[in-house]
């Protein structure tokens, strides 16, 4: 994941608790902008879609 470009997630809103996201053809990755050294969590497309659906529903 070292060659992908992370961007601030639109779900982070205006707070300082930023989540950054990156996409590749096979995976989606998220990381905490304040602790980038911990590395990202990665999800395949189906897992990512399920995660976003739960966020949109306010369950996460």
């Amino acid at each position: 994941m070292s060659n992908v470009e992370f961007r601030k997630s639109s779900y982070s809103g205006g707070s300082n608790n930023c989540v950054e996201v990156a996409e590749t053809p096979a995976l989606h990755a998220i990381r905490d902008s304040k602790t980038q050294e911990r590395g990202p969590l990665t999800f395949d497309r189906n897992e990512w879609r399920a995660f976003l659906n739960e966020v949109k529903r306010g369950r996460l």
Side-chain angles (χ1 to χ4, degrees), residues 29-55:
I30 62 171
R31 70 180 181 189
D32 183 339
S33 63
K34 294 180 182 174
T35 57
Q36 295 175 12
E37 67 280 357
R38 295 172 84 183
L41 298 173
T42 58
F43 303 90
D44 68 27
R45 293 198 176 277
N46 291 330
E47 293 169 327
W48 185 249
R49 190 173 8 260
F51 170 74
L52 290 181
N53 285 336
E54 294 301 307
V55 169

Side-chain angles (χ1 to χ4, degrees), residues 6 8-10 15 17 28 30 32 34-35 38 40 45:
F6 281 84
K8 182 179 175 182
S9 170
S10 61
S15 71
N17 298 323
H28 293 270
I30 62 171
D32 183 339
K34 294 180 182 174
T35 57
R38 295 172 84 183
R45 293 198 176 277

